[in-house]
Amino acid sequence: MYRAPRGTSDILPQEQPYWRYVEQKAASICQLYGYERIDTPTFEEAQLFSRSVGEETDIVEKEMYTFKDKGGSELSLSPEGTAPVCRAYVEHGMHNLQQPVKLYYIATTFRYERPQAGRYRQHHQFGYEAIGDDDPALDAEVIDLAWQFFKSCGLVGLTIKLNSIGCKKCRPGYLATLKKYYSGYVSTLCSDCRIRLKRNPLRLLDCKNPSCQKITSSAPRSIELLCPECDGHLRQLKQYLGLLDLPFVENHRLVRGLDYYTRTVFEVQPEEGGAQSALGGGGRYDDLISKLGGKPTPAVGFAAGMERIILNLKKQKVPIPTLPKPQVFIAYLGEEAKDEAIKLASKLRREGIAVLEALGTRSLKAQLRQANNLAVKYALIIGEDEVKSGKVILRDMITSEQKTVSPSELERLLR
Ligand code: AMP
């Protein structure tokens, strides 16, 4: 028997109301803030991600689904959404548009990870990017949008974690300080962190290993070594977040797992935190567009995992509206009546009324049982008499009341 590949899942009809609900909340909030939808391909040139996300990140080193197609091009299934959007921005000359360009997406995302609750090999992200302005007010807007989005979904008890990791001017100095600090603890660090110390020292800060965390608690903090511009940006951002009444906590350990971030990084976390719990994260990436061949263009964005949002909606028992289903079932008695039933079903559907119809040669009783199981409100019954008169029996499935009606009356009643 075949099964869905490890770390992937089917989204069955009973799950669909959650997905439609979250997608609709995402679309409405984006409309409120002036973001337009963009869809990029499921796969891109592999290099797009190694250049942007970073050669020495977990995503690029261990998690990408990369393959050669029949023409020999090296492609990767998208492991994240920001790089493709930036590629599209550059490719389509969007710097000629009014800046910032504000785009959002809901995309399937692929990472070869060890599957566990809230972590899959195929997941979906709702993300948005504001490209073309370095005003900290735009960072504040991006954070506000994330907050209002989760709120509109009905989620409570969330926190915003905030940090600044500086820019290409001040980060090298910070990294040197960080390396010097951790070099004093090499023997205590976990094996991963010893590699990070050489290759990606920023990631030392978010190691989950308790002994590394102990060392990190007194590690030098990036915000203490920001250049005056980055420092000013952070101060201004915090002031705007205050104006917006957004409850953020500064966290010097927050660095995020992708290399393109500059200055602002943030995450939204549900109450019971933990390694795999972030609902979403984002930040500023002022050097990415130029790295991908565009003009130097500052930008800021955010992405949230759809599956994690839905997990939290279920945990918090948020009521989700059901999706509409047909409320009418057509039953018949005999071959001639079946012909009429087929015609009637088609006519009602063309008029915009959703109907289900019986099939086969089951008894009327069995057909009505089926209607009952489907929990429709009405059954339409066509028997020999109705074939002759051109009318149908309308049965209220709740009260069992029946009456014979003409086609025009039927449509009016069903509406
Ligand atoms: P990232 O692109 O790593 O910043 O991830 C953004 C958000 O996507 C995270 O906060 C999660 O909600 C979600 N996410 C990331 N990786 C996975 C995964 N493997 N499975 C499910 N959700 C994920």
Side-chain angles (χ1 to χ4, degrees):
M1 195 179 76
Y2 292 110
R3 300 182 71 93
R6 191 162 134 77
T8 71
S9 44
D10 301 309
I11 305 171
L12 297 173
Q14 62 266 30
E15 288 292 306
Q16 294 290 341
Y18 283 96
W19 289 80
R20 296 294 87 74
Y21 176 76
V22 179
E23 281 165 10
Q24 186 256 318
K25 296 290 180 194
S28 339
I29 202 90
C30 282
Q31 200 263 330
L32 270 182
Y33 287 73
Y35 286 72
E36 291 179 297
R37 174 134 184 176
I38 183 168
D39 291 284
T40 58
T42 304
F43 52 84
E44 297 270 354
E45 274 184 56
Q47 269 210 0
L48 173 69
F49 300 109
S50 45
R51 277 195 66 79
S52 55
V53 176
E55 293 280 4
E56 268 143 34
T57 56
D58 284 351
I59 293 178
V60 170
E61 269 195 338
K62 306 180 199 156
E63 297 170 3
M64 285 220 291
Y65 283 87
T66 300
F67 58 96
K68 274 211 166 81
D69 71 5
K70 294 196 193 315
S73 305
E74 192 163 63
L75 303 169
S76 295
L77 300 182
S78 288
E80 63 101 50
T82 301
V85 171
C86 291
R87 193 263 310 133
Y89 176 93
V90 176
E91 181 175 337
H92 300 287
M94 292 192 213
H95 63 277
N96 292 317
L97 305 175
Q98 182 62 50
Q99 308 293 301
V101 172
K102 295 173 163 187
L103 302 167
Y104 82 94
Y105 57 85
I106 297 173
T108 314
T109 308
F110 305 87
R111 296 181 187 178
Y112 186 79
E113 297 194 85
R114 197 166 57 79
Q116 52 196 291
R119 189 163 288 280
Y120 315 102
R121 290 186 174 168
Q122 174 180 308
H123 72 280
H124 300 78
Q125 290 192 357
F126 156 50
Y128 49 90
E129 318 291 344
I131 307 175
D133 206 299
D134 67 358
D135 191 331
L138 193 55
D139 306 42
E141 186 193 275
V142 162
I143 298 174
D144 186 47
L145 197 166
W147 187 254
Q148 300 308 332
F149 163 66
F150 291 125
K151 205 166 134 185
S152 76
C153 286
L155 292 173
V156 294
L158 309 181
T159 48
I160 301 168
K161 293 199 292 186
L162 178 73
N163 196 14
S164 173
I165 54 171
C167 65
K168 59 183 171 210
K169 220 165 79 185
C170 54
R171 193 172 324 146
Y174 173 59
L175 293 184
T177 311
L178 207 56
K179 268 184 156 174
K180 199 166 151 203
Y181 170 79
Y182 278 100
S183 298
Y185 299 96
V186 177
S187 56
T188 332
L189 292 177
C190 71
S191 55
D192 281 346
C193 277
R194 277 183 223 154
I195 299 169
R196 289 183 185 126
L197 181 57
K198 288 201 192 100
R199 296 174 59 181
N200 198 349
L202 214 49
R203 294 308 304 276
L204 286 160
L205 294 169
D206 70 353
C207 179
K208 309 289 181 293
N209 188 308
S211 67
C212 299
Q213 287 199 346
K214 224 165 151 188
I215 302 167
T216 298
S217 59
S218 354
R221 300 175 175 218
S222 53
I223 54 163
E224 289 157 3
L225 292 162
L226 296 176
C227 62
E229 292 79 10
C230 288
D231 188 51
H233 188 96
L234 179 61
R235 272 173 207 282
Q236 192 74 60
L237 168 59
K238 289 197 286 190
Q239 197 182 324
Y240 292 143
L241 293 177
L243 288 180
L244 293 168
D245 254 339
L246 294 178
F248 65 93
V249 281
E250 286 190 77
N251 185 324
H252 78 283
R253 297 189 51 229
L254 180 67
V255 293
R256 318 262 310 121
L258 305 93
D259 279 358
Y260 50 62
Y261 286 113
T262 51
R263 294 188 167 169
T264 311
V265 287
F266 73 102
E267 260 179 23
V268 179
Q269 195 92 32
E271 212 151 21
E272 52 214 78
Q276 313 303 345
S277 66
L279 276 169
R284 191 161 264 292
Y285 48 93
D286 291 343
D287 304 325
L288 182 54
I289 298 276
S290 60
K291 215 170 181 178
L292 298 179
K295 294 185 178 152
T297 309
V300 53
F302 175 80
M306 297 285 287
E307 284 81 356
R308 292 218 193 147
I309 297 169
I310 291 171
L311 227 56
N312 280 274
L313 289 172
K314 289 179 180 172
K315 231 185 243 174
Q316 297 192 8
K317 300 196 165 58
V318 176
I320 304 295
T322 53
L323 295 174
K325 278 186 175 178
Q327 291 301 329
V328 180
F329 182 88
I330 306 179
Y332 50 79
L333 196 66
E335 273 306 313
E336 268 180 275
K338 183 174 179 182
D339 290 354
E340 292 307 315
I342 290 171
K343 286 196 283 182
L344 179 61
S346 170
K347 177 168 172 277
L348 289 175
R349 287 170 182 152
R350 270 179 276 157
E351 279 154 5
I353 297 170
V355 300
L356 297 167
E357 56 179 325
L359 296 166
T361 53
R362 268 177 291 179
S363 69
L364 186 60
K365 203 171 156 199
Q367 293 177 42
L368 289 178
R369 209 177 309 125
Q370 187 185 352
N372 210 29
N373 292 341
L374 289 165
V376 294
K377 287 208 177 89
Y378 301 101
L380 303 179
I381 305 166
I382 306 177
E384 269 171 43
D385 289 352
E386 287 70 40
V387 173
K388 283 193 197 122
S389 66
K391 294 186 171 178
V392 298
I393 298 170
L394 173 66
R395 179 185 174 94
D396 184 315
M397 291 301 291
I398 296 155
T399 62
S400 299
E401 271 174 59
Q402 297 194 165
K403 59 179 167 182
T404 304
V405 295
S406 69
S408 57
E409 210 182 339
L410 172 68
E411 201 196 314
R412 190 181 54 80
L413 286 172
L414 291 179
R415 282 199 191 286

